[in-house]
Amino acid sequence: MWDYSDKVKEHFFNPKNAGAVANANAIGEVGSISCGDALRLTLRVNEASEVIEDAGFQTFGCGSAIASSSVLTEIIKGMTLDEALKVTNNDIAAELDGLPPEKMHCSVMGREALQAAVANYRGEEWKDDHEEGALVCKCFAIDAVMIEEMVWANKLRTVEDVTNYTKAGGGCAACHEDIEAILEKVLKERGETFDPNAAPIEKSIITAEKKPLTNLQRIKKIEEVLTSLRPQLMADGGDVELVEVIDNIAYVNMTGACNGCQMAAMTIAGIQQRLMEVLGEFIRVVPASQMPSKLVNIQEASHA
Amino acid sequence: MPDIYLDNNATTKVDRAVVDAMLPFFTEQFGNPSSIHRFADGVARAIKKARGQVQELLGAEHDSEIIFTSCGTESDSTAILSAIKAQPNRKEIITTAVEHPAILNLCEHLEKEGYTIHRMPVDRCGRLNLEAYKNLLSDQVAIVSVMWANNETGTIFPVVEMAEMAHAAGVMFHTDAVQAVGKIPMMLQDTQIDMLSLSGHKLHAPKGIGVLYLRRGTRFRPLLRGGHQERGRRAGTENTASIVGLGKACELAIEHMEFENIQVKAMRDRLERGIVEQIPHCFITGDLNNRLPNTTDIAFEYIEGEAILMLLNKAGVAASSGSACTSGSLEPSHVMRAMSIPYTAAHGTIRFSFSRYNTMSEVDEVLKVMPDIVAALRKLSPYWDGNGPVANPEEAFKPTYA
Ligand SMILES: Cc1ncc(COP(=O)(O)O)c(C=O)c1O
């Protein structure tokens, strides 16, 4: 069976806040019955302060779905809606001392139920922005839909490309056959054929870049790269924002789950690698917090 | 009370007598059966004896029809790949939608290579339509592969009859009998079955030993070529200890065949009757009139299987589930889906599978804990309200997305 943490077991065997909250004024219902997980989150929100006074869950799902629901209600009780909306699926998983990669979607379901409940309270319509596919890469919990989207969006051609863009296949490599199958399918839809020996896409771009870039071109290119990486960062609950480019240093703000998490260093290194490959020149990516303070002032002044 | 093991279709405990029979072949008679010295003394003879024991359990005509392999999966792959290699002009395979992944994933792979795979559907009770089967048989079909008994529901397919139909159409017939061997009597020499797979660990022999039965005269192409072992049909130095263990296990299976079909069946029947009587909104899946004596698969509506298993495990009961979550896939078991079991029930299926080591008092123990487990989870379920499902559950709770 799954290697669940003690925290997961604790919340499963003794769930907190099970059942519907009386007089709930925010209800979120998400999940997928075909996937065997579904969650109804009910909240009572103080209308003056927007503080979540009570939260309850009803879950059709496995051990980790029930544990994720339980821990979510514990996390958000006492928060304002705006604070609660900042809770990411990684926060939920972290509070449970981690979830197996196959079960990360349980924490995603928790976050979505929360968003749906807040939207319900505010009279908005909540739209699910992600679709889930079969898990392909177990090392980094990347599913087929994500890989397919990235292959489409970035015209990826090789397994190496997929690893560079999504991390999928970058661990034990056991999923490379499945990744090839996805590439084969998408390339066929695009009217191309999959060639396992094709050069990774960046190389062809590098050869295309011959003249040195102007600063404006450089900034534009950097923005393009960040945009292409954004879906993956957002799937991890984070985001990246370009703050300033000075010579060959790009200063970025990492937000959400990326900020301060142990992946941040890896993510920054990954972004830097991508930028160098696409720009065909050396570039360093540095957190904006490390920007020399004088420069920050200059920048602020110029914005004022 | 020690833990209760009701997951014998997943794997079984190795019988003590099997272990005892195996032990000398690790340390004393460890020689290669092909060698000519005293460390190999008696090893070849022990393998021959085991071959005879397997032959007897299967009711095979010749002991040379028994080929030892490394597992049930290898036997399945060998059978199908042999059939297509031996008949390169036949590009179709007939199988069922409810086979084990050992067959289904291989067929899916062959489909990519250009083969046409006919996956016969089943009805709500898990039964095949033999009329439709007959219409699929043609000289384009390389092999029919149909499991003898289903691993999830225990449903038995009429493989003896289906093999005759295949032969009448000039088509080779294989059966994955991994779940059937040792649980129901068979006499292969009176059938038209060409190939049959079995796996040791389902009948109290160790994991990692299997058999492919190959009817004399059936055209064959080996999966592994190399040494002369198994008459060149499966190269690789013999897994001597496990082969000896499997032989012993087959002998014990013959001795216990009546026990399996009377006492074991009585335990299974008592458990499922008790559960269905005590717990509302649950039902037994599969063909109730044509089932293995040791298996019951029960769908508990409005709750999810992995959660049930975790609570059962805490109560000291080991079983298994067809829910998506236990496998890490997003879909509930393909067997439940093939039977059109609704999602709200398919995710809550629990399989209890018995062996001769179980007892009636264990059944009573499970009957004691099961109602509370189901009730506790239903309390958490959005489809449940108080003492019954919410009115019109699929309408009352309609979560958004995919
Ligand atoms: C019907 C069926 N076929 C094949 C197998 C695979 O057998 P093995 O684990 O020996 O490869 C199993 C066991 O899980 C099974 O139940």
Side-chain angles (χ1 to χ4, degrees), chain B residues 97-98 120-129 150 152-157 283-291 297-299 301 333-346 349 394:
Chain B
V98 296
M120 289 185 283
V122 295
D123 66 13
R124 281 165 191 274
C125 296
R127 293 171 303 201
L128 294 169
N129 178 338
N150 186 272
E152 290 187 31
T153 62
T155 298
I156 293 172
F157 284 144
F283 58 89
I284 303 162
T285 72
D287 182 358
L288 303 197
N289 302 319
N290 257 314
R291 257 188 318 163
D297 187 79
I298 305 178
E301 292 184 88
S333 123
H334 65 284
V335 179
M336 296 304 136
R337 300 238 301 148
M339 293 191 294
S340 310
I341 306 279
Y343 280 120
T344 41
T349 51
E394 317 256 312

Side-chain angles (χ1 to χ4, degrees), chain B residues 48 51-52 55 60-67 212-216 230-231 233:
Chain B
K48 184 166 172 50
R51 210 182 294 282
Q55 178 198 357
E61 193 171 356
H62 310 282
D63 71 351
S64 59
E65 294 174 327
I66 308 302
I67 302 172
L212 177 67
Y213 159 85
L214 177 69
R215 172 179 299 278
R216 182 172 287 184
E230 302 300 288
R231 297 168 193 258
R233 295 170 303 179

Side-chain angles (χ1 to χ4, degrees), chain A:
Chain A
M1 204 171 334
W2 304 108
D3 195 6
Y4 285 137
S5 70
D6 290 340
K7 268 279 186 53
V8 172
K9 289 183 203 153
E10 189 185 311
H11 275 277
F12 170 70
F13 289 123
N14 298 299
K16 307 276 179 8
N17 312 309
V21 167
N23 312 321
N25 54 2
I27 298 177
E29 296 182 343
V30 297
S32 145
I33 199 58
S34 66
C35 301
D37 290 313
L39 162 59
R40 176 195 281 135
L41 181 68
T42 49
L43 310 176
R44 196 173 58 246
V45 180
N46 183 311
E47 296 193 357
S49 62
E50 289 213 328
V51 166
I52 299 171
E53 292 177 335
D54 203 0
F57 77 88
Q58 291 162 285
T59 295
F60 174 97
C62 57
S64 55
I66 289 171
S68 297
S69 312
S70 165
V71 83
L72 169 71
T73 55
E74 287 285 280
I75 292 174
I76 59 173
K77 271 207 289 189
M79 283 185 171
T80 66
L81 291 185
D82 284 334
E83 284 165 352
L85 280 176
K86 294 203 186 99
V87 174
T88 66
N89 74 300
N90 287 312
D91 295 335
I92 297 170
E95 193 65 26
L96 289 167
D97 293 341
L99 286 171
E102 288 88 343
K103 300 296 195 141
M104 281 304 283
H105 68 96
C106 295
S107 62
V108 173
M109 184 171 74
R111 186 181 64 137
E112 289 176 341
L114 181 61
Q115 291 170 336
V118 174
N120 169 262
Y121 175 83
R122 292 180 171 162
E124 299 160 1
E125 198 185 331
W126 179 74
K127 267 240 168 274
D128 160 51
D129 58 356
H130 95 289
E131 201 188 327
E132 231 173 69
L135 192 65
V136 172
C137 169
K138 303 205 169 166
C139 298
F140 296 113
I142 314 288
D143 68 29
V145 171
M146 156 80 102
I147 295 174
E148 217 171 288
E149 279 173 1
M150 291 300 250
V151 171
W152 268 113
N154 298 293
K155 302 200 166 55
L156 307 185
R157 281 205 301 261
T158 64
V159 173
E160 198 182 327
D161 293 338
V162 171
T163 304
N164 289 339
Y165 274 75
T166 67
K167 297 202 290 258
C172 73
C175 60
H176 284 194
E177 183 182 352
D178 298 336
I179 295 177
E180 285 194 11
I182 293 173
L183 283 164
E184 235 165 76
K185 176 174 157 251
V186 175
L187 287 178
K188 199 164 161 206
E189 285 165 11
R190 244 174 23 209
E192 301 170 40
T193 44
F194 170 65
D195 170 10
N197 300 317
I201 53 164
E202 290 85 359
K203 290 206 183 104
S204 39
I205 295 174
I206 291 171
T207 50
E209 301 292 346
K210 287 201 180 103
K211 275 183 257 162
L213 298 167
T214 67
N215 213 34
L216 186 65
Q217 284 172 324
R218 185 174 298 126
I219 291 172
K220 270 194 180 155
K221 283 253 174 252
I222 293 173
E223 282 288 10
E224 271 172 35
V225 171
L226 295 185
T227 305
S228 77
L229 291 172
R230 192 157 283 130
Q232 189 207 334
L233 292 167
M234 294 191 22
D236 289 341
D239 201 354
V240 62
E241 178 194 22
L242 184 65
V243 176
E244 177 63 295
V245 179
I246 299 164
D247 299 331
N248 58 3
I249 304 178
Y251 292 97
V252 299
N253 250 338
M254 306 291 288
T255 55
C258 305
N259 185 26
C261 98
Q262 55 198 9
M263 294 292 286
M266 205 180 126
T267 310
I268 284 200
I271 294 174
Q272 175 168 316
Q273 176 72 21
R274 284 299 313 291
L275 285 174
M276 287 199 286
E277 286 164 356
V278 173
L279 272 63
E281 59 181 34
F282 178 77
I283 190 143
R284 212 149 71 84
V285 178
V286 174
S289 57
Q290 292 171 25
M291 197 150 51
S293 56
K294 212 171 82 195
L295 291 173
V296 174
N297 291 339
I298 289 168
Q299 191 211 10
E300 276 171 5
S302 69
H303 275 258

Side-chain angles (χ1 to χ4, degrees), chain B residues 200-367:
Chain B
H201 71 101
K202 311 286 185 182
L203 59 144
H204 307 288
K207 295 151 190 65
I209 182 74
V211 161
L212 177 67
Y213 159 85
L214 177 69
R215 172 179 299 278
R216 182 172 287 184
T218 303
R219 295 181 63 214
F220 184 73
R221 299 289 179 272
L223 182 67
L224 300 185
R225 291 176 193 269
H228 55 82
Q229 295 90 353
E230 302 300 288
R231 297 168 193 258
R233 295 170 303 179
R234 201 286 188 180
T237 300
E238 297 87 341
N239 183 356
T240 338
S242 291
I243 289 173
V244 169
L246 176 58
K248 184 71 191 173
C250 287
E251 182 190 314
L252 293 169
I254 296 170
E255 279 170 29
H256 290 93
M257 190 61 76
E258 201 178 299
F259 187 89
E260 183 85 22
N261 285 275
I262 297 174
Q263 275 93 334
V264 172
K265 179 172 183 296
M267 290 186 249
R268 189 276 310 269
D269 289 348
R270 181 185 174 94
L271 179 76
E272 65 182 17
R273 210 171 311 120
I275 286 179
V276 173
E277 277 167 13
Q278 289 185 70
I279 301 176
H281 298 280
C282 68
F283 58 89
I284 303 162
T285 72
D287 182 358
L288 303 197
N289 302 319
N290 257 314
R291 257 188 318 163
L292 292 175
N294 80 318
T295 309
T296 182
D297 187 79
I298 305 178
F300 297 93
E301 292 184 88
Y302 312 116
I303 52 178
E304 198 275 338
E306 188 207 272
I308 303 174
L309 289 184
M310 286 175 73
L311 291 175
L312 273 173
N313 188 46
K314 198 166 172 234
V317 180
S320 74
S321 166
S323 89
C325 275
T326 43
S327 61
S329 75
L330 293 175
E331 290 281 333
S333 123
H334 65 284
V335 179
M336 296 304 136
R337 300 238 301 148
M339 293 191 294
S340 310
I341 306 279
Y343 280 120
T344 41
H347 284 289
T349 51
I350 299 291
R351 176 186 70 187
F352 299 98
S353 46
F354 289 77
S355 80
R356 56 180 185 257
Y357 294 120
N358 293 114
T359 62
M360 273 297 179
S361 64
E362 290 180 334
V363 171
D364 293 339
E365 201 60 33
V366 179
L367 286 175

